[in-house]
Amino acid sequence: MTNDHDWETRVAALWERLDDHEPADFRARVAELAAERPADDPAAVFEQGAAHDSTGMPEEAVARYQRALDLGLTGLRRRRAVIQLASSLRNLGRPDRSVELLTAERALPADRLDADEQALSGAVDAFLALALADTGRDREAASLALGALAPLLPRYNRSLAHYARALLTAPDGS
């Protein structure tokens, strides 16, 4: 068994070379790394889920993400697992479940998240906007996406944020 830092370094290095591998080879290499950890290691289970997700196997990814979360995945990987699980569920035709997961994730108090987790708040909003659009809630989706975009603009921040909020109260077509 290797130490955590060494394992994390090798996992990160493999992800940096994702495009250098055929999908099955990449999944096998992640599985080899995961096998170095206990079978119930949530980080190893998550990495296998992400490998399946990134190589076009969302059904397999969903099961692994859920298992990693059930095993007590924490920190940045937990937040990534929720985002990636929700995205995979949306892609598999379950946008309502995606909305549930991401709405709950979005509601977490900022003081419960570290800086790296907070940095993914825009990703939570972006994937929630996609799921909302898939459920026919287009105005909410647009409002969320524009609200997330507003702080990133060099100008018009206040105006765009105001218009994003107004989408939720204005009648359709105005």
Side-chain angles (χ1 to χ4, degrees):
M1 178 119 17
T2 59
N3 71 43
D4 284 346
H5 179 73
D6 175 61
W7 188 81
E8 293 288 354
T9 300
R10 290 183 296 126
V11 167
L14 181 57
W15 276 104
E16 287 177 15
R17 297 186 320 273
L18 169 64
D19 293 331
D20 297 341
H21 298 281
E22 291 299 318
D25 177 56
F26 184 78
R27 289 189 303 273
R29 289 174 184 261
V30 171
E32 288 171 11
L33 287 170
E36 296 176 15
R37 310 287 283 214
D40 61 352
D41 181 273
V45 174
F46 166 78
E47 293 299 337
Q48 289 182 294
H52 280 82
D53 206 0
S54 296
T55 58
M57 301 181 78
E59 297 91 352
E60 292 82 354
V62 165
R64 286 169 174 85
Y65 290 147
Q66 191 59 62
R67 182 163 182 256
L69 291 166
D70 292 346
L71 288 169
L73 191 66
T74 61
L76 182 60
R77 275 197 178 105
R78 186 209 58 80
R79 189 153 230 214
R80 289 177 53 207
V82 171
I83 293 166
Q84 291 167 213
L85 171 60
S87 177
S88 292
L89 288 168
R90 184 186 75 80
N91 287 330
L92 292 169
R94 297 183 56 200
D96 290 328
R97 180 67 180 129
S98 180
V99 169
E100 289 173 22
L101 287 167
L102 293 168
T103 299
E105 189 67 21
R106 191 169 192 265
L108 292 175
D111 63 357
R112 284 194 42 205
L113 304 172
D114 69 23
D116 290 333
E117 291 169 289
Q118 287 181 26
L120 288 179
S121 293
V124 171
D125 288 349
F127 284 97
L128 178 54
L130 288 168
L132 288 168
D134 283 358
T135 62
R137 296 162 63 183
D138 296 339
R139 292 180 79 77
E140 286 177 73
S143 174
L144 190 60
L146 292 171
L149 177 63
L152 305 174
L153 299 177
R155 297 187 58 93
Y156 313 111
N157 313 76
R158 291 183 64 229
S159 296
L160 187 59
H162 168 76
Y163 291 135
R165 287 188 302 274
L167 280 172
L168 298 176
T169 58
D172 286 348
S174 54

